[in-house]
Amino acid sequence: MAEKRIRTTALATVPAAAIQQQIFAVRDRQVLLDEDLAELYGVETGALTRAVRRNADRFPDDFMFQLTKAEFAALRRQTGISNEGRGGRRYRPYAFTEQGVAMLSGVLRSERAVAVNIAIMRTFVELRRAAASDAALEKKIEELERETSTRLGQHDRDLALIFQTLRQLVAPPKKSKRRVGFGLPEGEG
């Protein structure tokens, strides 16, 4: 029972909103950076990367990759990470996909690491659920727009016909003017 309380307490210390803010899209994947994971796990970034390097066979390229210089520079501009020359990072960060984060639970075996991994996995699931919901909603809106434009197109044609008929009914018929006097027939002259 006491062990369950410890895990619940550890999970409570990592709010899902804080995890969501640390998830970035890189190479069309949602990833967490090594320094953010280290902070969540309560370890130094160097210790985390050393543990990963010791278990390199568990982290293929689709689980973890190192950012390119361009990706790192773009990320620095977006997030405000300090520049290398001013006391910041001296190497490009590693990015962990959802599977890479799951694999970290086998490498980092502390209770906090397990609790944090559970919270991160739940956050990834929630993000996927939200993305699927958004995609379904977008598809529904497109369908509704197509149906509406089809219906309105028919309604527009019907309304135009009604207005044309009403104009004919309201407008008095044109009377031919009778000419007074003598004149040449039209077209001869």
Side-chain angles (χ1 to χ4, degrees):
M1 187 74 167
E3 184 179 328
K4 197 167 194 168
R5 280 190 209 147
I6 292 171
R7 283 193 176 171
T8 305
T9 306
L11 277 173
T13 61
V14 184
I19 295 171
Q20 283 181 352
Q21 290 176 347
Q22 295 174 340
I23 296 176
F24 299 102
V26 179
R27 300 182 194 173
D28 294 327
R29 297 182 189 158
Q30 292 182 325
V31 297
L32 282 161
L33 299 181
D34 55 1
E35 65 184 341
D36 295 330
L37 285 168
E39 183 181 327
L40 289 169
Y41 292 135
V43 298
E44 290 185 16
T45 306
L48 181 114
T49 55
R50 282 191 299 277
V52 168
R53 274 189 253 129
R54 280 193 304 269
N55 297 283
D57 57 328
R58 292 183 178 209
F59 296 95
D61 291 342
D62 57 329
F63 283 24
M64 178 201 76
F65 54 89
Q66 192 168 20
L67 298 181
T68 64
K69 286 182 181 180
E71 290 168 338
F72 184 42
L75 197 59
R76 255 199 332 254
R77 284 191 300 274
Q78 290 176 9
T79 61
I81 297 172
S82 66
N83 289 331
E84 293 177 42
R86 299 189 192 132
R89 296 184 73 132
R90 286 166 180 63
Y91 66 93
R92 296 175 317 229
Y94 288 95
F96 291 83
T97 64
E98 181 178 356
Q99 294 83 7
V101 172
M103 192 57 72
L104 278 173
S105 65
V107 174
L108 304 172
R109 295 190 180 104
S110 70
E111 282 189 34
R112 178 166 176 81
V114 172
V116 167
N117 269 11
I118 291 170
I120 292 171
M121 291 301 114
R122 287 181 177 156
T123 303
F124 272 114
V125 167
E126 196 59 39
L127 286 173
R128 266 198 313 278
R129 189 177 298 139
S133 174
D134 289 348
L137 185 59
E138 187 176 332
K139 184 177 178 183
K140 195 88 158 163
I141 289 171
E142 286 175 6
E143 277 181 28
L144 186 60
E145 186 177 18
R146 271 194 304 272
E147 286 179 22
T148 304
S149 66
T150 303
R151 284 186 197 158
L152 288 179
Q154 181 60 40
H155 289 304
D156 286 346
R157 288 187 291 275
D158 292 344
L159 286 172
L161 183 62
I162 290 170
F163 286 129
Q164 181 182 1
T165 305
L166 286 173
R167 280 190 204 100
Q168 288 174 355
L169 289 174
V170 173
K174 288 186 178 181
K175 294 181 182 177
S176 59
K177 289 186 177 181
R178 196 169 150 209
R179 293 183 82 173
V180 179
F182 296 102
L184 294 173
E186 287 183 33
E188 291 181 20

